[in-house]
Structure formats: structure tokens, C-alpha cells
Amino acid sequence: MIELAFSILAADFAHLADEIALATSAGGTIVHVDVMDGHFVPNITFGPPVVKAIRPITQLPLDCHLMIEDPDKFIPDFAAAGADMVCVHVEVCRHLNRTLQLIADHGMKPAVVLNPATPIEHLIEVLPMVHHVLVMSVNPGFGGQKFLPRSIDRIQHLVHLRQKMGLDYRIEVDGGVGHDTVASVVKAGADMLVAGSAIFEKGKTAENAQAFLKIAREAALSNA
Ligand code: DX5
Ligand code: ZN
């Protein structure tokens, strides 16, 4: 099933609850929360207090993408705030297996994310532990960047590995996924689509989300 994980990074923060309601009514199924610390990435956003604030206003799962150094330190806080899924960057985890286990031990779904320059092979040993793999299709830190075309090969590589290893992880893609790129992302095999600016631009959240999902679902049908 194709899912839209809308990234609230591009939403109007002064009306976050309304933005989430609009994206949900238009078919969004996951709230993607981009957590940045100003160290791992050159930008600062939000953390567990914002997760805690949005937890009661939506029934959708909260997918927390941690672009932070030392994620182990904050995993209990995200669990307490109500996160459902936590993605950690392979580039910051010295003991990736331990970190993923820590996420699972806190009752959340573990996921791992790779920067565009990180080889997929770095994940082989942990693939059986993860709910999903997040493929960064831009360098993390900012919304509104251009999709990196090599990401398509990387998605296909993960599809191939999943089959070869007999696993069932999902494949999420994040960065520059918009009306012009989403069809190729879906055709390559991704099924969790992160989109920020494509959904929240021009204050037309519901219309954008509907149009985006229409393209994504048509691409999925042509895969079948
Ligand atoms: C980038 C974030 C993305 C970003 C996506 O570091 O992880 O989730 O907000 O934004 P768009 O869809 O605008 O590329
Ligand atoms: Zn993200």
C-alpha cells in the first residue's frame, strides 16, 4: 500500500493542527517529523515537546526522522512523547544494532536512514531488524531541495535485497519527492513517500495532497 508521510517541516507552524487535519483528510497516512540538531545537519527544528503537542491532535502514526548526533540519548524522550516510528541515521550510530534494539525496546518501530553518499551495503546486517529503510533523496537539513536521480537505483537495490533476503521491510523516500518525481519513485518500488513542500506549498494543503496521491496511486497501478 502506498502511504503519504507528510513532512510538517514545510507546514505553517502557526496553524499546525489545521495543516495536519487538512493533509489527513486528503489521504495522508503518516506524520513525518524532521528533528534536526544543528550538528549532524546545518539546521535546527524541533524535538520531543512538539511530538508531545501533536500526539493528541492526530490518530496517525508519528514517524520521527532523527537528524541528530547521539540519538540513543533521546530515544526514551521520543517514546514518552508518543512517537510510533523512529528513523536513525546510519552515519551517526556507532552501534547501530544496539540503537535499533533500543527503539524497539521502547515500543516503537525501528527504522534506519541513509544519506545519499552512504553505501546501502552498510545496512545489510540490520535489515532483518527494521520496519523500514529511509532513502534520503537529498542531503538532509532543508526542505525544498531537488531530488537526486541516483536515488532511483538505490530504491531498486533495496527492493532486490528485500527479495533476496526474504524480508518485508518497507522503503521510504525523503527529499524532493513532488508531483514531478513521485511516479518514478513509486515505480522503483518505494511505498512510504515523504513530501513536505509538495504538500504544504501555496497554502493549498488538501488539493496538493490529493493531486500527489493520485499520481502516486496511478504509478503503483502500473507496477502491478
Ligand atoms: C530533509 C527532511 C525532509 C524534507 C522534505 O532533511 O528530512 O523530510 O522536509 O522536504 P521536501 O519534500 O520539501 O523535499
Ligand atoms: Zn525527513
Side-chain angles (χ1 to χ4, degrees):
M1 187 182 82
I2 293 291
E3 293 205 74
L4 167 58
F6 54 88
S7 164
I8 57 168
L9 183 61
D12 176 354
F13 296 151
H15 301 100
L16 198 46
D18 296 341
E19 292 273 67
I20 290 173
L22 283 171
T24 306
S25 66
T29 47
I30 297 170
V31 183
H32 184 83
V33 184
D34 285 308
V35 179
M36 305 188 190
D37 67 352
H39 291 278
F40 176 58
V41 288
N43 196 6
I44 298 176
T45 55
F46 29 69
V50 170
V51 173
K52 190 174 174 199
I54 59 180
R55 179 66 290 168
I57 60 133
T58 177
Q59 313 242 333
L60 297 185
L62 306 180
D63 175 31
C64 296
H65 174 190
L66 305 191
M67 287 161 273
I68 63 175
E69 306 270 351
D70 203 0
D72 294 29
K73 208 160 103 187
F74 297 97
I75 284 165
D77 295 345
F78 281 96
D84 299 280
M85 311 178 205
V86 169
C87 309
V88 288
H89 269 267
V90 57
E91 299 84 8
V92 298
C93 293
R94 190 173 290 167
H95 303 288
L96 183 57
N97 182 302
R98 177 188 286 156
T99 302
L100 293 170
Q101 191 57 52
L102 187 65
I103 296 168
D105 289 347
H106 279 81
M108 302 178 291
K109 290 180 177 152
V112 70
V113 40
L114 308 110
N115 280 338
T118 303
I120 301 236
E121 283 68 22
H122 285 14
L123 295 186
I124 301 277
E125 298 302 328
V126 299
L127 286 175
M129 302 175 71
V130 299
H131 172 262
H132 63 274
V133 177
L134 174 52
V135 176
M136 284 312 299
S137 39
V138 297
N139 287 294
F142 302 93
Q145 302 183 76
K146 203 169 153 358
F147 182 84
L148 295 170
R150 275 213 32 85
S151 315
I152 296 294
D153 285 357
R154 292 162 65 75
I155 298 165
Q156 287 167 339
H157 189 165
L158 282 162
V159 170
H160 172 74
L161 279 175
R162 179 171 62 192
Q163 203 219 356
K164 195 170 121 192
M165 296 172 75
L167 299 173
D168 62 358
Y169 56 78
R170 302 191 68 184
I171 302 172
E172 185 175 39
V173 181
D174 186 2
V177 181
H179 298 77
D180 52 341
T181 49
V182 65
S184 60
V185 165
V186 170
K187 284 183 184 152
D191 57 5
M192 291 170 69
L193 310 167
V194 178
S197 38
I199 303 303
F200 293 105
E201 68 190 349
K202 301 189 191 116
K204 292 190 175 171
T205 300
E207 292 93 322
N208 294 337
Q210 273 159 5
F212 179 96
L213 275 167
K214 186 165 182 284
I215 302 170
R217 288 184 183 134
E218 279 168 11
L221 280 180
S222 75
N223 271 358

